[in-house]
Amino acid sequence: MNVLNEILHWSQDRPKWQRDALRRLVLTGELEDADIEALTEICKSAHGLAEAQGYSPLTKDHLPPNGTEAGHVNIQSIVHHRGVNALAEDQTVTFGTGLTVVYGDNAAGKSGYTRILKSACRARGPEGILGNVLSGTAPPTASVSIKYTVGGDGIQHEWTGEGDDESIARVSVFDSHSATVYLTEKTDVAFRPFGLDLFDKLAKACKTVRDKLECEKRALGAGGLQTLDLPEGTAAAKLVVSLSSLTDPEEVKALAMLSEEEKERLKLLGKQLVDLQAKDPAKTARELTLRAGRLRSLVNHLRAADGVLSAEAVKAIFDSQRELQTKREEAGKLRDATFPAGLLSGTGSDSWVVLWEAARQFSETEAYPDRKFPVTEEERCVLCQQRLEANAAVRLKQFETFVISATEKELREARETYTGLYKGLDELRVTNETVEEAVKEIRIEVESLADEVSASLTEAEARCGGVVKGLQNEQGMPGGLAEYTPVAAKIESLAEQLDQRVQGLQKEAGEGEKEKITTELQELEARERLGKFESHVLREIERKKKIAAYGLCLDDTRTQRVTIKSTAITKVVVTKKLKESFQDELKNLEFKHVEVELKEIGGDLGNMYHKLLLTRAPGVELPRVVSEGEARCLSIAAFFAELSTADDPSAILFDDPVSSLDYKWRDSVAYRLVEEAKTRQVMVFTHDIVFLLRLKQYAKEQDVEMLDQHVRQSMIGAGVCEQELPWVAMPVKKRIGFLKNAWQDAKKLFDAGDDKAYEKEATHMYGLLQEAWERGLEEVLLCGIVERYRVGVQTQQIEKIADISLEDCRALEVGMTKCSNWRPGHDRAPAAQQDVPEPDELIGDIKALETWVSGINKRRPR
């Protein structure tokens, strides 16, 4: 199974932000704060909580060709400057590329160096670093560094104790604390195939994004709608109580908005309820009837005023005046053309026409009723009553022709129209005592309407005066003429309400009618109050929508599906291998008498957990059944099984891995560590000299490079580092080298004349020289067939000792005898007291051992 391809296919139906997160994780390995911010916005935008965000999902193009792994990490050295436990300052432990064994007695400082590594590397059961709390003074701040390489580039990196280092964190540490964790706790697999860690990182991102969303959601939850005191049971109250993210804002707006008719109905219902509570309903009905009649009289008066002062009426009167002026001008032109000069001034004018028309009426009704006006045939004039001469008769006919002309007729019609319109305006009296009394009646019912009517009357008077003034100036409609707001319809509506109230009073109104009115009134009042708080309600709906949207966002951060998929893939590519490797490791360690298995026990946040269980009694905790040594053996097997799930051959470190182990398992662990050192750097801290020798033996047999380090306690503190192992662990060749170096110091004492110091040092060296002869007997003469601290006998070396000669044995006997004479602990007789050999003799005795060893090694085949 290709893990990355499986994740890519699985991601297709994941939320957009998770697909983008997977892309970022594949490309960069980690998510920074800016990434989390961007991913949170993508998550929110998917549910309308943020503006639309662009996102880039994980695609096949983002996947590395065959997966990528960083180069393996090797530790070069640990440098302790100061501040860790009781370690001496400025000490360095160096590590080789194969197997490095750091030997030291108990309390020598090994665990101090282990804790430094655990603070930077991967370890079950991590520990904090303490200073020297037993020093009696405040310990200094810890100052350490770990130098390491990554891959084969040879570049030296350094971790100085600050922050996390992704590379050095790939080094694994095993000690007593981690052994306990492997045995008693459930653990996830630390090493996984490349790509499987994406589930862990995605689950972590889910939690981080979720925390941010929950914080924002909590801020919204602090709000809420205040109590609106709406009558219980009304539609408005029910709507507010049932508010949710699904409530339609338009429904709220519709219910909160009262039409003009509903507003009037609200007022009417309130008054009707008051009417029904009156002591004498009949009297109240009569008063309301009279009041309605007065209001209707006012309505008729105002509508008459509306007819005169409306925009159409005012425009019509000014248009009429302008038309009259036009017709006058046309008639004047006709007059000038019709009448000769020398006539009386004003002939043909309006007053003259009136005179002419009066003469017509007198002629046709009194003087000459049967003859057409003007009568000119030998008759007398109706005005001067003298005989008409010929020229007078002609002039009268001219006058008649003028008067009956179309122009003059149109002039008369225009004059009549204008006069009629002006008369209506002139006779208009907007306010009077009756009107003022009617306004008082309105004020009893509706204060605001009374004010509106008063304002309308004032506007009407001003408008009327403006129109009259404009007509008198004959300049046309003046600019800025006062506006006029008709109110007759509102007064008529009020009168109709009074009629309805009268009708209600005239009915036999019982409690049922009152209840009906009260219910309707409450509904309208509730809606009116809802309208006052409409914006609050709409904000509450929006808040609930946001809370619901945050809920959907939080659903997109759940890790169940991440864990399920991680578990499925882990079972295929990790768990099976982990179980098989654990059983293989138990076989390698010859652990057979207790049936134990490593079993998966569920997971969360993208992790799959495993635990060591007794096969025949899975409900019983292991520490209650197995011994301390067995427990350590099982933990080591679990550690190696976990390593097998990774392709990362980075370094591993063991701190006293064989503590509490029996000899049979100690030997198996030593062999297993040397085997592992063939493929990765292995570092072992131990105080067990037998275990150390077994490691050296197996490293030699399997041709594994081994570096020795020694830490010890001294006057300056623990953890003092030396490149050589202690005397007890040295092979004969190194012991000879050690004696030669010690001889140099002893000779200096002799040359300085310090006889006592020289004697003490020389006798001590003879004791060590005797131990070196003994080690030579085991290691060289007998070819290591039998060695102390070793369990078995190396019978395959038996043929090599066939060459032992009498000279070999005599040289051994001579050397051992002389050393016995001078080593401390042998009491010599006073008569046999001799001086301690001088330096030349001492070095000769050391070289005798060296010659003996080299001679035997040269003649034997390797």
Side-chain angles (χ1 to χ4, degrees):
M1 174 186 289
N2 185 297
V3 175
L4 288 176
N5 284 336
E6 188 69 17
I7 291 175
L8 174 61
H9 178 73
W10 168 79
S11 71
Q12 301 303 310
D13 63 347
R14 300 309 299 143
K16 291 180 180 179
W17 82 266
Q18 290 190 21
R19 298 181 68 187
D20 195 300
L22 285 170
R23 174 188 62 84
R24 296 171 189 245
L25 288 169
V26 168
L27 295 180
T28 64
E30 295 294 338
L31 296 177
E32 303 293 338
D33 291 344
D35 294 315
I36 295 297
E37 291 290 341
L39 293 171
T40 303
E41 291 303 305
I42 294 173
C43 181
K44 289 164 61 177
S45 69
H47 300 287
L49 290 173
E51 295 182 0
Q53 304 286 318
Y55 85 105
S56 299
L58 177 68
T59 67
K60 197 169 186 65
D61 293 337
H62 299 126
L63 303 183
N66 296 306
T68 57
E69 282 288 356
H72 65 277
V73 178
N74 276 5
I75 303 296
Q76 291 185 316
S77 65
I78 301 176
V79 181
H80 172 252
H81 299 293
R82 61 182 177 277
V84 174
N85 299 169
L87 294 181
E89 295 184 356
D90 299 322
Q91 298 296 312
T92 301
V93 180
T94 304
F95 301 97
T97 58
L99 174 65
T100 300
V101 180
V102 182
Y103 174 81
D105 295 330
N106 288 325
K110 300 186 302 301
S111 294
Y113 291 111
T114 302
R115 291 186 182 108
I116 294 174
L117 274 171
K118 288 183 69 174
S119 66
C121 304
R122 190 196 74 84
R124 301 293 186 186
E127 297 179 80
I129 296 179
L130 296 176
N132 187 359
V133 296
L134 302 179
S135 65
T137 60
T141 302
S143 176
V144 300
S145 70
I146 302 175
K147 296 179 180 179
Y148 64 94
T149 60
V150 179
D153 58 8
I155 300 175
Q156 186 183 74
H157 304 270
E158 185 173 17
W159 179 79
T160 58
E162 297 180 1
D164 296 329
D165 187 318
E166 184 177 346
S167 294
I168 201 171
R170 290 163 46 211
V171 174
S172 301
V173 178
F174 180 92
D175 66 351
S176 297
H177 290 276
S178 56
T180 302
V181 172
Y182 280 112
L183 196 68
T184 62
E185 298 182 16
K186 65 178 183 180
T187 60
D188 59 343
V189 178
F191 302 106
R192 298 178 174 183
F194 179 69
L196 200 56
D197 62 334
L198 288 176
F199 288 112
D200 299 353
K201 295 175 180 179
L202 181 59
K204 181 180 178 182
C206 284
K207 184 179 184 306
T208 306
V209 172
R210 184 180 187 85
D211 289 345
K212 292 178 67 64
L213 292 172
E214 285 180 336
C215 181
E216 294 179 11
K217 183 181 178 183
R218 283 194 297 272
L220 286 173
L225 187 64
Q226 63 181 1
T227 303
L228 302 184
D229 294 328
L230 299 176
E232 187 177 352
T234 61
K238 292 177 181 177
L239 177 67
V240 170
V241 169
S242 63
L243 281 182
S244 72
S245 61
L246 301 178
T247 302
D248 186 356
E250 295 303 319
E251 181 183 356
V252 175
K253 293 177 183 178
L255 195 61
M257 181 180 293
L258 295 178
S259 66
E260 290 302 321
E261 291 77 9
E262 288 172 329
K263 291 178 182 177
E264 294 301 322
R265 179 67 177 167
L266 175 62
K267 297 175 184 177
L268 173 62
L269 290 171
K271 293 173 181 177
Q272 282 185 326
L273 192 60
V274 173
D275 293 341
L276 292 174
Q277 296 169 348
K279 294 181 179 180
D280 189 350
K283 180 180 179 182
T284 302
R286 289 194 297 272
E287 291 176 353
L288 293 176
T289 300
L290 291 173
R291 195 174 295 163
R294 287 191 286 269
L295 292 183
R296 284 196 169 84
S297 296
L298 177 59
V299 168
N300 294 334
H301 174 74
L302 292 179
R303 283 181 174 162
D306 293 345
V308 175
L309 296 178
S310 68
E312 295 79 5
V314 171
K315 182 178 182 302
I317 194 170
F318 278 103
D319 289 346
S320 176
Q321 185 184 55
R322 187 167 55 254
E323 179 71 13
L324 177 59
Q325 290 171 342
T326 301
K327 296 305 179 182
R328 280 177 178 170
E329 291 175 358
E330 292 175 355
K333 293 177 181 179
L334 178 61
R335 184 174 57 250
D336 293 341
T338 303
F339 300 142
L343 298 178
L344 293 175
S345 176
T347 300
S349 66
D350 291 345
S351 57
W352 180 86
V353 171
V354 172
L355 172 65
W356 183 262
E357 290 299 329
R360 180 194 302 280
Q361 184 177 11
F362 174 71
S363 173
E364 292 177 347
T365 60
E366 300 289 342
Y368 307 108
D370 299 328
R371 300 177 69 176
K372 184 178 179 181
F373 181 78
V375 180
T376 58
E377 292 83 4
E378 298 179 357
E379 297 294 343
R380 287 184 294 177
C381 173
V382 294
L383 295 176
C384 66
Q385 297 190 14
Q386 295 183 12
R387 293 282 180 183
L388 292 172
E389 297 180 359
N391 58 349
V394 171
R395 182 161 294 175
L396 286 176
K397 289 181 179 180
Q398 289 177 338
F399 285 167
E400 178 62 7
T401 300
F402 169 76
V403 171
I404 66 175
S405 67
T407 300
E408 187 62 18
K409 181 180 179 182
E410 291 173 357
L411 175 60
R412 285 195 300 274
E413 292 174 352
R415 184 184 297 112
E416 290 173 0
T417 300
Y418 173 71
T419 300
L421 293 174
Y422 186 81
K423 182 180 180 182
L425 181 67
D426 186 52
E427 292 176 353
L428 177 63
R429 298 293 180 268
V430 177
T431 59
N432 53 42
E433 186 175 346
T434 302
V435 170
E436 292 176 355
E437 288 299 322
V439 173
K440 292 179 181 179
E441 295 283 354
I442 297 173
R443 195 171 298 280
I444 294 173
E445 297 295 331
V446 185
E447 182 81 19
S448 59
L449 179 57
D451 292 339
E452 191 175 348
V453 172
S454 296
S456 177
L457 292 172
T458 301
E459 292 172 356
E461 286 187 333
R463 186 176 180 82
C464 182
V467 172
V468 170
K469 186 175 181 181
L471 292 173
Q472 290 174 348
N473 293 336
E474 296 186 352
Q475 299 296 321
M477 187 182 296
L481 193 64
E483 294 293 331
Y484 172 60
T485 306
V487 291
K490 295 183 178 180
I491 300 173
E492 177 68 26
S493 176
L494 179 58
E496 291 175 355
Q497 289 185 16
L498 294 176
D499 291 341
Q500 294 177 34
R501 291 169 63 186
V502 170
Q503 295 173 7
L505 288 168
Q506 290 173 344
K507 295 179 181 178
E508 295 182 1
E511 291 300 322
E513 184 67 19
K514 289 182 181 179
E515 183 177 348
K516 180 180 177 182
I517 291 175
T518 300
T519 300
E520 186 180 357
L521 179 62
Q522 286 182 339
E523 285 288 346
L524 292 173
E525 286 178 340
R527 289 177 60 193
E528 183 181 48
R529 183 166 181 78
L530 178 63
K532 295 178 181 179
F533 293 94
E534 177 184 334
S535 60
H536 298 265
V537 176
L538 294 177
R539 282 198 297 270
E540 177 65 6
I541 294 173
E542 189 62 26
R543 186 181 76 89
K544 289 182 177 294
K545 284 184 177 180
K546 287 184 177 180
I547 290 175
Y550 271 108
L552 295 175
C553 289
L554 291 172
D555 288 343
D556 286 349
T557 65
R558 297 186 184 278
T559 58
Q560 287 92 332
R561 292 191 62 183
V562 178
T563 301
I564 290 171
K565 189 61 179 179
S566 174
T567 300
I569 297 180
T570 301
K571 284 183 177 180
V572 174
V573 301
V574 174
T575 301
K576 182 179 179 182
K577 183 175 182 180
L578 188 66
K579 290 181 176 181
E580 293 174 350
S581 295
F582 178 68
Q583 294 303 322
D584 289 342
E585 293 298 337
L586 290 181
K587 291 178 182 178
N588 292 336
L589 298 176
E590 298 183 4
F591 190 99
K592 303 175 183 178
H593 58 293
V594 179
E595 293 185 56
V596 179
E597 61 181 323
L598 207 162
K599 192 170 185 180
E600 69 273 15
I601 55 171
D604 61 17
L605 294 178
N607 295 320
M608 181 68 181
Y609 291 102
H610 301 80
K611 189 174 183 180
L612 294 178
L613 299 174
L614 289 165
T615 302
R616 299 182 182 277
V620 179
E621 293 293 330
L622 269 174
R624 300 178 61 185
V625 176
V626 300
S627 68
E628 186 177 352
E630 290 171 329
R632 176 59 63 94
C633 191
L634 288 170
S635 298
I636 292 174
F639 177 80
F640 275 114
E642 189 174 32
L643 288 177
S644 72
T645 64
D647 296 327
D648 181 8
S650 291
I652 56 175
L653 179 140
F654 290 83
D655 182 21
D656 270 338
V658 294
S659 176
S660 304
L661 285 181
D662 293 341
Y663 73 89
K664 60 178 180 179
W665 287 328
R666 182 189 290 118
D667 193 69
S668 298
V669 170
Y671 187 86
R672 180 67 184 86
L673 292 179
V674 173
E675 280 285 316
E676 192 68 21
K678 293 178 180 179
T679 58
R680 72 171 80 231
Q681 182 188 40
V682 177
M683 300 166 285
V684 180
F685 285 75
T686 184
H687 70 281
D688 191 320
I689 191 65
V690 177
F691 182 60
L692 168 64
L693 295 175
R694 300 304 288 160
L695 287 171
K696 294 181 73 66
Q697 175 190 341
Y698 287 131
K700 181 178 179 181
E701 291 176 357
Q702 300 187 52
D703 197 25
V704 172
E705 179 184 353
M706 179 172 172
L707 176 66
D708 296 327
Q709 296 280 278
H710 178 212
V711 294
R712 61 184 178 84
Q713 180 81 247
S714 76
M715 295 297 293
I716 62 173
V720 177
C721 301
E722 296 176 349
Q723 297 300 311
E724 294 292 345
L725 290 176
W727 175 265
V728 69
M730 288 182 183
V732 66
K733 184 178 180 181
K734 287 188 176 284
R735 289 188 176 193
I736 293 171
F738 179 86
L739 289 170
K740 286 182 176 181
N741 290 333
W743 177 82
Q744 298 282 348
D745 296 330
K747 187 175 185 301
K748 291 178 181 177
L749 295 174
F750 182 84
D751 292 342
D754 191 346
D755 294 338
K756 280 192 174 183
Y758 171 75
E759 182 179 340
K760 180 178 179 181
E761 185 65 23
T763 54
H764 174 67
M765 288 181 64
Y766 271 109
L768 294 179
L769 182 57
Q770 184 178 7
E771 293 178 9
W773 275 105
E774 291 175 357
R775 177 59 57 87
L777 171 62
E778 292 180 4
E779 180 184 324
V780 180
L781 186 62
L782 299 180
C783 294
I785 294 173
V786 179
E787 289 184 1
R788 286 168 291 182
Y789 308 121
R790 195 176 69 201
V791 178
V793 177
Q794 300 292 330
T795 57
Q796 67 270 27
Q797 301 289 335
I798 193 69
E799 63 180 27
K800 292 184 179 181
I801 64 173
D803 68 345
I804 296 176
S805 65
L806 185 59
E807 288 77 11
D808 296 331
C809 297
R810 286 177 178 172
L812 173 64
E813 182 181 1
V814 169
M816 291 283 290
T817 300
K818 186 171 184 180
C819 291
S820 296
N821 291 332
W822 299 109
R823 62 177 294 184
H826 285 266
D827 186 25
R828 291 184 293 276
Q833 182 66 33
Q834 298 179 18
D835 292 333
V836 175
E838 293 185 355
D840 290 344
E841 185 179 350
L842 176 57
I843 191 63
D845 293 336
I846 295 171
K847 288 182 177 181
L849 172 61
E850 183 178 28
T851 301
W852 183 78
V853 169
S854 62
I856 296 173
N857 285 335
K858 284 180 180 179
R859 72 172 183 250
R860 286 179 175 170
R862 297 189 179 183

